[in-house]
């Protein structure tokens, strides 16, 4: 049996390695795709600027596309080979239709359009409303000066899934087996929805929150690895800004997606909108049911003491119902002034049933078995209201915007615990927890262009947060395992207020661009902690004021070829529950102990990047270096050597240095093969030493010394290969690999996984049928070894085993015409501004 397991493991690893090699080798065989370009002129051979040119595919509307000519009448489009009808429209000109044109063509396709003798002379061509037909995104990944943008529409392996599934495929981002998201190895990631914190992500940023946002609601994800001063300074690893879909089309438009899967998963989501004149309203939302199994194993071998070894095996079955809805409106009072109002409600309902089996082997030959059964129910209800105002002061780009956001969340939970062992001992506990959050976020931003190549940005932001944590444990038996259960019955009132202001100057001289910024943040934190005994009560106040500079430099080597160098200083504020002692009693042998004395960490981050963005491929290698002072590390220790209780506690200790090469690339290898790859080669070095008191085998208090120093080199890699079988059917294979890491106390083993997805366009482009398999070989798990002079501990976790999903999307719409694509305005760093780009965060 053992040999069969080893052979199966070898086959899986070699299969995954072969797929990586074949995909990487495909980069060498790039071929040209069909590109259509030309010029629109009138009968006098005069160019027609801002004319609408529409190519309608005769066989399948999904492959149609449209564009506007530039100010010289030129246009360019990438189109799949096929038979097209071509429509040219412009104000003051007669609509022209060219039927049954076969593409691709050789050379340029110049188009003619005749003037309309009855047209009104006061209307300008640039006022035309063009026709945009939904088509596949041209690039799933692109680089901008201060961020990388990922478009999930081409990700077939997350169709019918959720935000957690999408993030698993985003370059530079890693999702662990327990839902923890990290960027370049650091889990201190700041999440934003449409540029600000959101009730959609709940009070914490855990796996439950990520699973409550359907993939179909996500338009793009902005990966900001080194934010500038206009962004909030929190999140030392960077910022993930999730942009949800919104309409630009006139009339009524929408889509509905339903999915089913195994492990059991059902979802139904809708995106609806209506736009007429200056008014737009939208409604996005849906709900679903899912099941999950989480496996957790802990085994300890002791070098001395009463125990020879102990083991703990946990199987947790989770059922979750999630619902969310966002409704809002945008009203344009004029071309310069607009207001937006929206509201969000999100709820999820969880049922957890866990079985834990314990085995104790004593040195005297005694064996004791124990079983712990727990049944838990938790809910979450969150609301958010947003109000925004935007005003263009003049036509030179001088703008002012203001926004106000109010958020409220409530998360109660109850857990019944029954434990028995071979001594016919029974322990019955009831654990009750409740977390309440209230937040107010206000922003005011101003932009002042100085000339064509320079501008100043400034802004103010207020964050006020209030979190209430209530925990209670009632037990029918005292004296077992813990003789101070009152330490788990406590309440904490956590208040935080952050006042921030920034100023930023941006300019460009020739090919050289620069951006200099400075941000000031004043933080005030009040913690009021009370427990049942009253002897450990405390009130703690923390105040700190820090400056956060940023410098961004760019140099244009040639068109679409840019060198980028940047620096920023950032802060890692401890999460509120990190400051609360003993947050949970759900696993009495593995406890999390908060640390009220925890201080912020500060990071200095440098990046040197090179970006090539062509039609057929993009390459973005980035060298990075970051050093964190007062780094927060998780200390794992035994407070009493006579028991099997382990405590994990966050502490400030020493420095953390990381450096490496983050390489992202995409390639249209052939007309039927596309690749997207991410490779992160990085080194790490930790240092730090601490002393702590614990009880030894004799019952005496002893001081222990612990070094958390360590260094090494590791790798993370991801490769997605998309095969276009025909015009309507595509298949994608996506593989990931994460090498192990080791410090003085812990060793993280390597992990790999393979996903498969397929998508079929149906109903003449109005529908999409998708199927995917997550973790084909069921290898995605987390294994950690913890080393101590007195013991060796192995921890294993698998949050979600292999799962299958089948989804169906139907797009319905009445309105086809949209507002014209405005002529893009280049910023001073040679990047085109996105018309729906979010403002300062």
């Amino acid at each position: 049996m053992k040999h069969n397991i080893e052979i199966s493991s070898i086959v899986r690893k070699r299969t995954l390695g072969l797929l990586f090699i074949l995909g990487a080798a495909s980069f060498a065989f790039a071929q040209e795709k069909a590109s259509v370009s030309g010029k629109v002129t009138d009968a006098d051979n005069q160019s027609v600027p801002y004319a609408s040119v529409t190519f309608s595919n005769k066989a399948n509307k999904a492959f149609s596309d449209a564009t506007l000519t530039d100010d010289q009448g030129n246009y360019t489009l990438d189109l799949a080979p096929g038979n097209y009808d071509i429509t040219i429209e412009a104000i003051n000109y007669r609509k022209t239709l060219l039927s049954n044109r076969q593409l691709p063509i050789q050379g340029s396709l110049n188009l003619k359009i005749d003037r309309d003798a009855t047209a009104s002379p006061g209307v300008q061509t640039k006022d035309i409303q063009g026709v945009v037909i939904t088509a596949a995104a041209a690039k799933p990944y692109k680089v901008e000066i201060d961020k990388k943008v990922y478009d999930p529409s081409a990700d077939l392996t997350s169709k019918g899934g959720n935000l957690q599934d999408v993030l698993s495929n985003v370059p530079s981002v890693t999702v662990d087996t327990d839902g923890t998201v990290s960027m370049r190895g650091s889990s201190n990631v700041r999440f934003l929805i449409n540029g600000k914190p959101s009730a959609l992500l709940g009070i914490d940023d855990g796996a439950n929150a990520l699973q409550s946002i359907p993939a179909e609601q996500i338009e793009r994800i902005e990966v900001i690895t080194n934010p500038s001063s206009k962004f909030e300074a929190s999140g030392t690893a960077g910022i993930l800004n999730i942009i949800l879909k919104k309409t630009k089309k006139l009339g009524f438009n929408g889509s509905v997606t339903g999915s089913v899967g195994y492990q059991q998963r059902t979802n139904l989501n809708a995106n609806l909108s209506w736009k007429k004149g200056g008014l737009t309203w939208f409604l996005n939302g849906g709900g679903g049911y899912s099941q999950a199994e989480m496996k957790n194993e802990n085994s300890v071998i002791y070098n001395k003491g009463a125990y020879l070894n102990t083991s703990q095996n946990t199987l947790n079955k989770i059922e979750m119902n999630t619902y969310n809805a966002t409704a809002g409106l945008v009203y344009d009072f004029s071309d310069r002034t607009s207001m937006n109002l929206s509201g969000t409600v999100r709820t999820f309902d969880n049922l957890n049933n866990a079985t834990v089996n314990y085995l104790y082997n004593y040195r005297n030959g005694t064996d004791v078995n124990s079983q712990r059964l727990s049944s838990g129910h938790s809910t979450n209800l969150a609301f958010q209201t947003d109000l925004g105002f935007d005003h263009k002061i003049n036509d030179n780009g001088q703008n002012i915007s203001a926004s106000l956001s109010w958020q409220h969340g409530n998360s109660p939970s109850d857990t019944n615990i029954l434990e028995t062992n071979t001594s016919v001992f029974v322990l019955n506990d009831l654990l009750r927890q409740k977390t309440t959050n209230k937040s107010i976020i206000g922003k005011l931003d101003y932009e002042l262009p100085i000339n064509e190549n320079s501008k100043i940005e400034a802004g103010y932001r207020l964050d006020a947060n209030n979190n209430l944590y209530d925990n209670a444990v009632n037990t029918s038996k005292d004296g077992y395992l813990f003789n101070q259960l009152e330490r788990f019955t406590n309440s904490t009132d956590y208040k935080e207020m952050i006042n921030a202001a920034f100023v930023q100057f941006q300019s460009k001289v020739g090919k050289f661009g620069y951006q200099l910024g400075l941000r000031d943040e004043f933080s005030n934190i009040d913690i009021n902690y009370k427990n049942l005994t009253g002897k450990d009560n405390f009130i703690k106040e923390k105040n700190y004021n820090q400056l956060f500079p940023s410098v961004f430099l760019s140099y244009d080597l040639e068109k679409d070829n840019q060198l980028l160098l940047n620096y920023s200083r950032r802060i890692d504020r401890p999460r509120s529950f990190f400051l609360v002692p003993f947050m949970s009693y759900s696993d009495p042998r593995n406890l999390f102990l908060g640390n009220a004395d925890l201080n912020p960490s500060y990071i200095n981050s440098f990046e040197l990047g090179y970006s090539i963005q062509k039609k057929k491929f993009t390459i973005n290698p980035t060298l990075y270096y970051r050093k964190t002072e007062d780094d927060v590390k998780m200390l794992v220790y035994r407070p009493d050597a006579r028991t099997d209780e382990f405590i994990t506690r966050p502490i400030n200790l020493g420095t953390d240095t990381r450096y490496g090469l983050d390489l992202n690339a995409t390639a249209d290898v052939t007309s039927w093969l596309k690749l997207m790859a991410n490779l992160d080669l990085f080194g790490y070095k930790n240092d730090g030493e601490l002393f702590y008191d614990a009880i030894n085998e004799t019952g005496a208090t002893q001081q222990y010394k612990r070094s958390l120093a360590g260094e090494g080199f590791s790798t993370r890699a991801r490769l997605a290969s998309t095969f276009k079988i025909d015009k309507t059917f595509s298949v994608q294979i996506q593989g990931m690999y994460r090498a192990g890491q080791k410090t003085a106390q812990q060793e993280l083993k390597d992990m790999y996984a393979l996903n498969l997805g397929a998508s079929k366009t149906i109903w003449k482009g109005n529908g999409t049928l998708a199927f995917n398999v997550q973790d084909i070989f069921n290898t995605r798990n987390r294994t950690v070894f913890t080393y101590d002079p007195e013991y060796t501990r192995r921890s294993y976790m698998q949050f979600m085993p292999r799962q299958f999903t089948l989804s169906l999307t139907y797009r319905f719409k009445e309105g086809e015409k949209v507002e014209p694509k405005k002529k893009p305005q280049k910023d001073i760093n040679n990047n085109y501004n996105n018309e729906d780009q979010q403002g300062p965060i």
Side-chain angles (χ1 to χ4, degrees):
M1 181 65 180
K2 180 179 179 182
H3 294 295
N4 291 338
I5 295 174
E6 290 177 351
I7 292 172
S8 176
S9 177
I10 292 172
V11 170
R12 290 196 301 264
K13 289 184 178 181
R14 290 185 176 179
T15 301
L16 180 61
L18 181 60
L19 287 168
F20 270 110
I21 293 171
L22 290 176
S26 299
F27 272 106
F29 301 101
Q31 298 180 12
E32 293 294 323
K33 287 179 61 179
S35 178
V36 180
S37 62
K39 190 169 187 176
V40 176
T41 58
D42 59 18
D44 299 325
N45 288 325
Q46 297 296 313
S47 62
V48 181
Y50 311 116
S52 170
V53 184
T54 303
F55 289 80
S56 300
N57 190 285
K58 302 283 287 183
N60 194 322
K61 188 167 59 176
F63 296 101
S64 303
D65 206 349
T67 188
L68 292 178
T69 61
D70 61 17
D71 55 358
Q72 300 299 318
N74 299 310
Y75 74 92
T76 302
L77 272 178
D78 291 330
L79 295 170
N83 196 13
Y84 289 83
D85 288 340
I86 305 173
T87 305
I88 310 105
E89 294 181 271
I91 297 296
N92 293 337
Y93 291 84
R94 289 199 300 268
K95 180 178 178 179
T96 301
L97 175 63
L98 306 176
S99 300
N100 297 320
R101 295 302 175 99
Q102 188 68 31
L103 298 176
I105 60 170
Q106 298 295 326
S108 300
L109 177 61
N110 295 321
L111 304 172
K112 288 284 187 179
I113 188 170
D114 294 327
R115 282 192 172 274
D116 186 354
T118 64
S120 173
V123 181
Q124 299 299 316
T125 304
K126 63 182 180 180
D127 297 326
I128 188 172
Q129 290 188 329
V131 177
V132 172
I133 301 175
T134 303
K139 293 292 182 183
Y141 177 82
K142 64 179 181 179
V143 179
E144 299 181 9
I145 186 172
D146 56 354
K147 62 180 172 288
K148 303 175 181 70
V149 182
Y150 176 75
D151 180 358
S153 63
D155 178 14
L156 305 185
T157 63
S158 64
K159 296 289 186 182
N162 50 52
L163 175 58
Q164 181 172 317
D165 299 323
V166 174
L167 289 175
S168 298
N169 300 326
V170 176
S172 305
V173 177
T174 302
V175 182
D176 214 332
T177 55
D178 60 353
T180 300
V181 178
S182 60
M183 293 169 61
R184 294 176 178 170
S186 175
S187 61
N188 184 240
V189 178
R190 183 63 166 164
F191 282 94
L192 302 171
I193 301 290
N194 293 333
K196 52 183 174 291
S198 174
L200 283 173
L201 290 175
I203 296 173
D204 59 24
D205 297 332
N208 286 340
L210 298 180
Q211 293 174 14
S212 68
I213 301 179
E216 285 70 28
Q217 293 184 11
I218 302 169
E219 178 174 322
R220 67 180 186 274
I221 296 177
E222 297 176 347
V223 182
I224 308 170
T225 55
N226 203 17
S228 67
S229 296
K230 72 177 180 180
F231 296 91
E232 58 178 312
S234 296
T236 55
I239 295 173
L240 288 175
N241 188 20
I242 294 94
I243 307 298
L244 301 182
K245 291 179 178 178
K246 57 184 178 181
T247 186
K248 301 180 183 71
K249 295 184 178 180
L250 292 175
F252 178 74
N253 300 272
S255 65
V256 176
T257 300
S259 63
V260 295
Y262 176 85
Q263 304 278 326
Q264 187 170 342
R265 173 190 287 185
T266 58
N267 288 284
L268 183 64
N269 300 283
N271 298 290
L272 309 175
S273 65
W274 182 80
K275 184 178 182 65
K276 185 175 182 180
L279 177 64
T280 302
W281 68 257
F282 59 90
L283 174 63
N284 301 324
Y289 169 81
S290 63
Q291 292 182 353
E293 285 188 358
M294 183 174 69
K295 297 179 181 179
N296 201 322
E297 300 174 1
N298 289 293
S299 58
V300 185
I301 299 175
Y302 298 89
N303 299 326
K304 60 181 180 178
Y307 296 109
L308 183 63
N309 57 70
T310 61
S311 64
Q312 170 186 337
N313 295 310
T314 303
L315 178 61
N316 190 6
K317 296 184 178 181
I318 304 170
E319 297 180 51
M320 183 166 65
N321 290 282
T322 63
Y323 304 94
N324 74 84
T326 299
L329 59 87
V330 179
Y331 186 74
D332 298 324
F333 294 98
S334 66
D335 292 339
R336 294 186 176 183
T337 306
S338 66
M339 182 191 73
N340 62 82
L341 175 66
S342 65
T344 296
V345 59
R346 187 205 72 165
T347 179
F348 62 76
D349 188 288
N350 275 9
L351 292 175
N352 295 271
N353 291 287
T355 302
V356 189
N357 292 304
Y358 303 98
L359 173 62
Y360 303 89
N361 294 321
Y362 292 85
R363 293 190 184 276
N364 62 10
T366 304
D367 296 338
V368 176
N369 292 297
S370 179
Q371 186 177 74
R372 182 181 179 90
L373 303 176
S374 66
S375 177
H377 178 226
S378 62
T379 61
N380 174 273
L381 180 61
F383 300 93
Q384 178 172 332
T385 302
D386 294 289
L387 177 65
F389 177 82
D390 295 278
H391 179 64
K392 297 179 181 179
I393 299 175
N394 55 36
D395 294 330
N396 297 324
Q398 189 176 4
N399 301 322
I400 188 169
S401 63
S403 66
L404 182 66
S405 177
W406 173 84
Q407 303 174 25
H408 176 77
N410 192 21
S411 298
S413 66
D414 293 316
T415 305
N416 286 296
I417 303 170
L418 177 65
E419 184 170 333
T420 60
N421 65 19
T422 52
S423 301
V424 198
F425 176 82
V426 178
L427 177 71
N428 195 351
D429 295 336
L430 174 62
L431 169 64
R432 289 180 175 172
Q433 296 176 291
K434 184 177 181 180
T435 305
T436 304
N437 166 266
K438 297 178 182 178
S439 299
I440 296 177
I441 302 173
K443 296 197 304 175
L444 180 65
D445 296 296
Y446 175 72
E447 182 177 337
L448 175 64
I450 298 176
N451 53 46
E452 186 180 11
N453 292 325
S454 304
K455 68 177 179 179
I456 293 177
E457 295 176 273
Y460 167 78
R461 173 176 173 137
L462 169 69
D463 284 76
N465 304 296
N466 185 196
N467 294 347
L468 296 174
Y469 300 99
D470 289 307
N471 302 282
V473 175
N474 298 318
T475 182
S476 61
K477 178 71 175 180
D478 292 328
Y480 172 71
L481 195 62
F482 302 109
N483 55 14
Q484 292 182 343
L485 281 175
E486 61 268 17
R487 64 179 172 166
F488 298 100
T489 300
N490 53 63
S491 66
T492 305
D493 187 359
Y494 176 93
K495 295 180 179 178
E496 177 186 66
M497 181 173 289
I498 303 172
N499 285 275
F502 81 92
V503 62
Q504 192 163 272
F505 177 73
Q506 193 173 2
S507 187
K508 189 170 187 179
V509 180
K511 296 183 177 181
F512 176 72
Y514 62 94
Q515 177 182 284
L516 308 175
L518 183 64
R519 187 181 188 91
D520 179 69
E521 291 194 354
F522 176 75
S523 304
N524 177 266
I525 297 174
D526 290 306
I527 306 171
N528 187 352
Y529 172 78
K530 300 177 182 178
N531 66 17
L532 191 63
T533 64
K535 62 182 181 181
D536 295 324
N537 294 358
F538 65 83
I539 297 176
K540 186 175 288 290
E541 182 176 352
K542 295 174 176 284
N543 294 297
Y544 40 89
N545 188 25
Q546 292 288 332
L547 294 175
F548 302 95
S550 68
V551 178
F552 282 73
L553 308 175
S554 67
Y555 185 78
D556 299 332
L557 300 175
E558 58 182 61
K559 184 180 179 182
D560 300 323
N561 194 333
Q562 197 173 45
L563 193 65
L564 304 168
L565 176 65
N566 56 65
Y567 159 78
S568 72
R569 182 174 187 259
R570 300 187 60 74
I571 184 173
D572 179 9
R573 295 183 180 86
R575 297 183 179 183
S576 56
F577 64 85
F578 275 21
L579 301 170
V580 179
F582 287 109
M583 279 291 297
S584 176
Y585 179 68
S586 57
D587 185 352
R589 293 164 178 81
N590 297 280
L591 299 170
F592 178 83
L593 172 62
N595 182 2
D597 295 320
L598 203 63
N599 292 317
S601 302
Y602 296 94
I603 183 171
N604 289 288
S605 177
F606 299 84
E607 288 186 358
L608 174 62
Y610 178 61
S611 175
I612 303 177
Q613 300 189 75
K614 301 294 184 180
K615 288 183 179 180
K616 308 301 179 185
F617 66 90
T618 64
I619 301 177
N620 174 223
T622 302
L623 293 171
Y624 64 90
Y625 173 89
R626 65 171 184 245
K627 186 173 183 179
T628 305
E629 304 291 344
D630 288 330
D631 184 45
V632 176
K633 292 183 171 64
M634 292 297 173
L635 171 67
V636 180
Y637 68 100
R638 296 171 71 197
D640 191 336
R642 299 167 299 177
T643 72
D644 64 333
E645 174 185 327
F646 284 85
I647 287 181
T648 299
R649 190 184 190 196
I651 57 172
N652 291 108
L653 185 65
T655 62
D656 178 271
T657 302
R658 291 180 181 266
Y659 55 91
L661 170 64
D662 188 3
L663 175 63
N664 298 295
T666 66
D668 296 342
V669 181
T670 68
S671 60
W672 52 267
L673 175 61
K674 292 185 178 182
L675 297 178
M676 185 172 72
N678 173 228
L679 177 65
D680 188 9
L681 306 172
F682 65 97
Y684 57 91
K685 182 178 181 181
N686 304 303
D687 61 61
E689 189 176 79
L690 78 150
F691 298 87
Y692 64 94
D693 293 332
I695 299 174
N696 60 25
E697 293 84 356
T698 65
T701 300
Q702 178 180 336
Q703 188 177 74
Y704 292 82
K705 177 183 176 181
R706 176 68 56 81
S707 172
L708 297 183
E711 61 181 309
F713 192 84
S714 190
T715 305
R716 286 183 293 265
R718 185 185 293 116
L719 176 64
S721 303
T722 304
F723 303 89
K724 186 176 179 181
I725 308 302
D726 59 31
K727 295 179 181 180
T728 63
F729 182 43
S730 297
V731 176
Q732 185 178 84
I733 299 176
Q734 193 259 1
M736 64 81 60
Y737 173 75
R738 187 190 66 191
Q741 292 180 240
K742 190 173 183 179
T743 64
Q745 186 190 16
Q746 288 191 333
E747 180 181 3
L748 176 66
K749 292 297 184 179
D750 61 350
M751 180 178 71
Y752 65 94
L754 190 69
N755 305 320
L756 173 68
S759 177
K760 172 71 173 178
T761 302
I762 57 178
W763 297 328
K764 296 183 178 180
N766 290 325
T768 301
L769 185 65
F771 173 77
N772 65 67
V773 184
Q774 295 282 339
D775 195 7
I776 295 175
F777 296 127
N778 208 30
T779 55
R780 196 166 181 265
N781 58 67
R782 188 175 191 266
T783 303
V784 180
F785 285 87
T786 302
Y787 302 101
D788 187 90
E790 298 183 357
Y791 62 85
T792 299
R793 183 174 186 244
R794 175 185 178 271
S795 298
Y796 168 91
M797 173 183 284
Q798 185 183 37
F799 182 77
M800 180 69 75
R802 177 175 46 239
Q803 56 184 329
F804 307 85
T805 303
L806 178 66
S807 67
L808 175 64
T809 300
Y810 178 72
R811 289 173 288 273
F812 52 91
K813 48 187 176 293
E814 294 179 2
E816 287 288 347
K817 290 192 174 182
V818 301
E819 293 179 315
K821 292 182 179 179
K822 299 177 182 178
K823 183 182 176 181
Q825 308 251 334
K826 267 192 178 182
D827 67 18
I828 57 177
N829 289 288
N830 207 30
N831 290 285
Y832 285 97
N833 294 327
N834 193 309
E835 62 186 43
D836 59 347
Q837 178 64 43
Q838 301 298 313
I841 299 174

